[in-house]
Amino acid sequence: MASDLEQLCSHVNEKIGNIKKTLSLRNCGQEPTLKTILNKIGDEIIVVNELLNKLELEIQYQEQTNSSLKLKGSDLDSEEPVKVEEPAPIKKPPKEQRSIKEMPFITCDEFNGIPAYMKSRLTYCKINEVIKEINKAVISKYKILHQPKKSMNSVARNLYHRFIDEETKDTKGHYFIVEADIKEFTTLKVDKKFHMLLNILRHCRRLSEVRGGGLTRYVIT
């Protein structure tokens, strides 16, 4: 806005200067060239008048704008201070459950590669059903091992201590079960047929055995 006023004032001063120069020639006579100049004076006066009107309107507009800004400033001062709400405390994400390694199922190609004397009458589906039950035992065992001790009942606590006693330096960092876990967590019968299945799983590199202390530990590989 200030630049507009300066520009208007500059135009006004320029036009007034032209008028003064032209009026100074009035006393020089009635020559035709001077008459032409005097005619231009009238045009300059009209332009100056228009510029003065614009200047007046611009001044009025600025005065109104300044007064409205002052009113807005007083309104802002009278407003109540804005209350800043404190952010809600960030909830800690729940601890991720530790994954438990499971035994992969036998593929058709692997089943076809098992020697006939080893699988006898055992079918592809039967072998994978046994793997499913073994995984059930592994998951049940290690859920107890991963459970906080304070939340354990007496049964879980007794199992926990047995699991710890069965560990050796060779099983450290590995998932394994024993025959007692098969009986505890599955409906499988630990008989001759079950041991035939274990031989197949060893052949397919699904498990290995760690013996010691009169106990056979079946390690998931």
Side-chain angles (χ1 to χ4, degrees):
M1 293 178 186
S3 60
D4 292 339
L5 283 174
E6 290 175 0
Q7 191 174 0
L8 285 171
C9 291
S10 176
H11 285 310
V12 170
N13 290 331
E14 182 183 352
K15 296 299 179 184
I16 291 174
N18 291 337
I19 292 169
K20 286 180 179 179
K21 288 178 183 178
T22 308
L23 287 174
S24 64
L25 299 172
R26 179 176 289 178
N27 298 325
C28 295
Q30 298 294 323
E31 294 181 11
T33 55
L34 294 178
K35 286 183 180 181
T36 302
I37 294 171
L38 290 173
N39 289 334
K40 287 183 179 180
I41 291 175
D43 297 334
E44 295 288 350
I45 290 172
I46 293 171
V47 173
V48 169
N49 187 50
E50 290 178 355
L51 289 172
L52 289 172
N53 288 335
K54 287 182 180 180
L55 183 61
E56 185 179 358
L57 290 172
E58 189 66 29
I59 292 170
Q60 289 177 358
Y61 174 76
Q62 279 202 12
E63 288 177 349
Q64 290 175 358
T65 303
N66 290 335
S67 61
S68 63
L69 287 173
K70 287 180 181 179
L71 287 172
K72 287 181 180 179
S74 61
D75 291 342
L76 288 172
D77 294 338
S78 62
E79 286 182 359
E80 295 182 0
V82 178
K83 293 181 180 179
V84 179
E85 294 184 2
E86 294 183 1
I90 300 173
K91 294 182 179 179
K92 292 183 179 179
K95 292 183 178 179
E96 293 183 4
Q97 292 185 350
R98 294 168 65 179
S99 59
I100 298 172
K101 185 175 182 179
E102 297 181 42
M103 184 184 297
F105 291 115
I106 299 294
T107 66
C108 290
D109 289 341
E110 286 175 316
F111 178 76
N112 293 331
I114 299 170
Y117 76 88
M118 188 178 289
K119 62 185 174 184
S120 184
R121 294 182 181 179
L122 291 172
T123 63
Y124 169 79
C125 292
K126 180 62 179 177
I127 295 172
N128 280 331
E129 284 176 9
V130 172
I131 291 177
K132 185 178 179 181
E133 289 298 306
I134 290 173
N135 285 336
K136 188 190 295 184
V138 173
I139 292 169
S140 299
K141 172 185 175 177
Y142 283 92
K143 275 186 176 180
I144 293 173
L145 283 172
H146 295 167
Q147 184 180 343
K149 291 182 182 179
K150 292 181 180 180
S151 63
M152 293 181 184
N153 56 29
S154 58
V155 176
R157 195 175 292 110
N158 291 334
L159 288 170
Y160 176 86
H161 290 301
R162 175 170 73 77
F163 299 152
I164 297 299
D165 292 339
E166 291 167 350
E167 292 182 356
T168 68
K169 62 178 182 178
D170 296 322
T171 62
K172 188 175 182 180
H174 298 283
Y175 290 84
F176 72 94
I177 56 172
V178 298
E179 289 185 4
D181 299 323
I182 296 294
K183 295 174 181 178
E184 180 74 33
F185 301 115
T186 76
T187 57
L188 293 174
K189 291 181 180 181
V190 181
D191 53 12
K192 185 178 179 181
K193 190 176 181 180
F194 176 74
H195 286 284
M196 286 175 60
L197 280 160
L198 291 181
N199 288 333
I200 292 173
L201 296 178
R202 280 196 299 271
H203 173 78
C204 295
R205 299 181 180 180
R206 291 298 189 273
L207 58 78
S208 62
E209 292 183 359
V210 174
R211 298 176 184 270
L215 195 66
T216 302
R217 298 159 183 83
Y218 302 105
V219 181
I220 308 301
T221 56

